[in-house]
Amino acid sequence: TMTDDYDALLASVTSRCHATGQSHILAHLSDASIPTSAKHSFLRSIDEIPLEKLSSFLSGALAEEEKLKTMDPANVPAEDKIEPFEGTSASTTSSDAATAQLLERAHQIGLDAIESGKVAALLLAGGQGTRLGYDGPKGMYDIGLPSGRTLFRLIAERLKKLGALTRKGDGAIPFYVMTSPLNHEQTTSYFRQHDDFGLDVTFFPQGTLPAMTDDGKLILETPASLAVAPDGNGGIYPAMVKHSVLSDMKAKGVRYIHVFGVDNALVKPADPTFVGYCIRQKADCGNKALWKTSPDEKVGVLASRGKRPCIVEYSDMSKEMSELRSEQDGRLVFGAGNICNHFYTLDFLEQVVVPNLGNMYHIARKKIPYYCDEQKKTVKPTENNGIKLESFIFDVFPLSESMTVLDVRREDEFA
């Protein structure tokens, strides 16, 4: 019965909170004015949180924050030195005949992999259209095309077109959509209204993590709810584990995954040239990049730190680095601009990324609304009072052993 469920849940959550120093969040459970249903969903939300792991997530992230604060740019230790990316790369912008031939071959390899059902497309659609002045999932926004097509529809139609080139048709490319808890319902019902555009679609929400104080205490937003925030686009990896996406891909025979963000109207989902190039290079991880045209473009770039591939944020680069040009072709050396367009092998995700998930969080200091016992209400602070932990999708790049880059034309691939 409901009461048994509630009591069992209460007992388990209470003992976990007690063991992890979080008992303060249960302070209002004896308050009779809070409906039992609200208490129940509050307990369920706590039950989902990896309470036992939070302190190690936090201490790792705080150590990183401290290290970045104390680092002297003029005297960076060898293992943190930022150098140009050392892996393999090719460019669709090149006029060189050998490159053109290589990429034609890659395109065919990509189509063959799609034809044999080995390629999945994964859309990151957790974002809301807030900055566009639109209150809903970004993918449902009408971007002003004469046809009124949304970003979701554009992507779905491109996948259908690609499927049509194979004998498998619409089902050729398993399509996965990562939503956020905020837009999961709206997104899935939009696709339902359009019969999933005839595609084989699987939806899963990215996770949230609770906000914390500096000493790792969870923060109540109301007497029966925690302050939580999405865990960053790096939340894709734990979410794929939690919602059995990796095992679903494996069961479908998928070996390669193309992951891309929703906010690029020119994105080529499951792009055969990119996927095929990565397969041909035997890459475990690949990045499709746009070469920066000017040093002050504020975009992260692919580089190498301590001989490992990584994305270096615009703000972490010195003026000299951002202006450095190659003697061969005059292009910016640190120019491989990151557009959230990535390739992975399923093996890399399962065998390398998943075992390393715990140490990938960063600190974002934020103003967290909190419940004030004296005022008996939720207060919106004017200063930062707490920490959100977030991770980025590219935090896994340093784990790659054979990263490769394909750099592409802006006018063809990004808008």
Side-chain angles (χ1 to χ4, degrees):
T1 66
M2 184 81 174
T3 2
D4 294 349
D5 274 1
Y6 181 82
D7 292 341
L9 186 58
L10 177 63
S12 122
V13 167
T14 304
S15 89
R16 288 179 62 210
C17 286
H18 185 74
T20 50
Q22 304 289 4
S23 301
H24 62 285
I25 62 175
L26 305 174
H28 302 276
L29 282 178
S30 52
D31 181 342
S33 69
I34 302 171
T36 309
S37 60
K39 291 179 185 173
H40 207 154
S41 61
F42 176 48
L43 288 173
R44 277 199 299 267
S45 73
I46 301 171
D47 194 43
E48 293 252 301
I49 297 168
L51 293 172
E52 296 71 18
K53 295 180 182 165
L54 289 179
S55 64
S56 78
F57 291 174
L58 179 65
S59 58
L62 285 168
E64 179 201 51
E65 183 187 49
E66 191 52 38
K67 179 175 164 180
L68 293 174
K69 257 198 306 219
T70 53
M71 200 186 271
D72 164 16
N75 194 8
V76 178
E79 72 272 14
D80 292 313
K81 207 165 133 58
I82 296 170
E83 292 169 317
F85 173 66
E86 296 177 352
T88 56
S89 64
S91 174
T92 62
T93 64
S94 154
S95 51
D96 165 52
T99 306
Q101 211 176 359
L102 165 81
L103 293 177
E104 252 170 63
R105 177 81 195 94
H107 186 82
Q108 195 51 53
I109 293 172
L111 282 178
D112 292 347
I114 289 169
E115 173 97 52
S116 53
K118 291 180 183 158
V119 181
L122 198 162
L123 170 66
L124 304 170
Q128 292 296 90
T130 336
R131 278 194 304 211
L132 305 164
Y134 166 70
D135 186 29
K138 269 187 198 165
M140 283 167 59
Y141 181 62
D142 172 351
I143 56 172
L145 294 173
S147 61
R149 283 185 176 88
T150 60
L151 291 162
F152 281 151
R153 180 179 279 280
L154 286 171
I155 290 165
E157 287 177 353
R158 286 173 199 153
L159 284 169
K160 288 165 83 80
K161 245 191 194 118
L162 206 45
L165 297 175
T166 72
R167 287 179 300 245
K168 288 207 163 94
D170 285 356
I173 302 161
F175 184 33
Y176 295 82
V177 178
M178 182 169 87
T179 61
S180 71
L182 269 179
N183 69 25
H184 187 75
E185 285 310 311
Q186 261 181 302
T187 303
T188 49
S189 74
Y190 174 81
F191 272 85
R192 257 202 314 276
Q193 282 160 19
H194 295 94
D195 296 321
D196 289 345
F197 300 100
L199 298 168
D200 163 16
V201 194
T202 306
F203 300 90
F204 66 104
Q206 81 180 88
T208 54
L209 278 172
M212 293 185 261
T213 60
D214 266 27
D215 49 6
K217 298 285 183 209
L218 302 186
I219 299 172
L220 283 176
E221 188 168 323
T222 70
S225 72
L226 289 168
V228 296
D231 51 9
N233 60 10
I236 176 177
Y237 307 113
M240 286 173 91
V241 175
K242 180 177 174 181
H243 299 286
S244 312
V245 172
L246 291 172
S247 47
D248 184 67
M249 287 176 169
K250 202 170 194 165
K252 286 177 177 162
V254 168
R255 299 207 18 219
Y256 311 109
I257 301 134
H258 182 212
V259 178
F260 46 92
V262 73
D263 33 18
N264 173 6
L266 289 179
V267 73
K268 299 180 174 177
D271 173 16
T273 305
F274 177 49
V275 170
Y277 175 67
C278 292
I279 295 172
R280 190 184 175 283
Q281 298 302 104
K282 299 192 168 42
D284 51 9
C285 181
N287 197 28
K288 187 186 269 200
L290 279 191
W291 221 265
K292 283 169 60 165
T293 43
S294 93
D296 31 347
E297 252 185 279
K298 292 181 169 42
V299 54
V301 298
L302 188 69
S304 150
R305 182 186 271 132
K307 304 281 179 239
R308 290 271 171 197
C310 68
I311 295 292
V312 179
E313 293 297 356
Y314 174 77
S315 50
D316 294 340
M317 282 175 52
S318 66
K319 191 171 177 333
E320 297 76 46
M321 280 171 67
S322 60
E323 291 175 354
L324 191 62
R325 290 187 180 269
S326 144
E327 286 171 11
Q328 278 97 11
D329 57 12
R331 294 207 301 174
L332 293 166
V333 170
F334 292 97
N338 185 42
I339 52 170
C340 195
N341 197 311
H342 312 309
F343 164 95
Y344 308 95
T345 62
L346 187 64
D347 284 349
F348 174 66
L349 293 179
E350 280 194 325
Q351 294 160 24
V352 182
V353 172
V354 171
N356 282 290
L357 280 181
N359 42 18
M360 290 199 188
Y361 290 97
H362 314 285
I363 301 281
R365 294 186 178 273
K366 303 277 186 185
K367 302 177 183 66
I368 316 276
Y370 65 97
Y371 184 75
C372 171
D373 285 331
E374 282 87 69
Q375 303 176 48
K376 298 253 178 291
K377 64 171 194 179
T378 300
V379 175
K380 287 192 166 154
T382 49
E383 323 249 275
N384 290 346
N385 64 325
I387 286 173
K388 288 179 177 173
L389 289 177
E390 54 182 19
S391 62
F392 305 118
I393 191 162
F394 51 73
D395 286 337
V396 303
F397 287 5
L399 298 170
S400 164
E401 297 293 341
S402 50
M403 179 105 186
T404 193
V405 178
L406 182 66
D407 116 60
V408 296
R409 255 181 236 282
R410 186 173 305 234
E411 53 276 26
D412 295 344
E413 305 235 11
F414 194 76

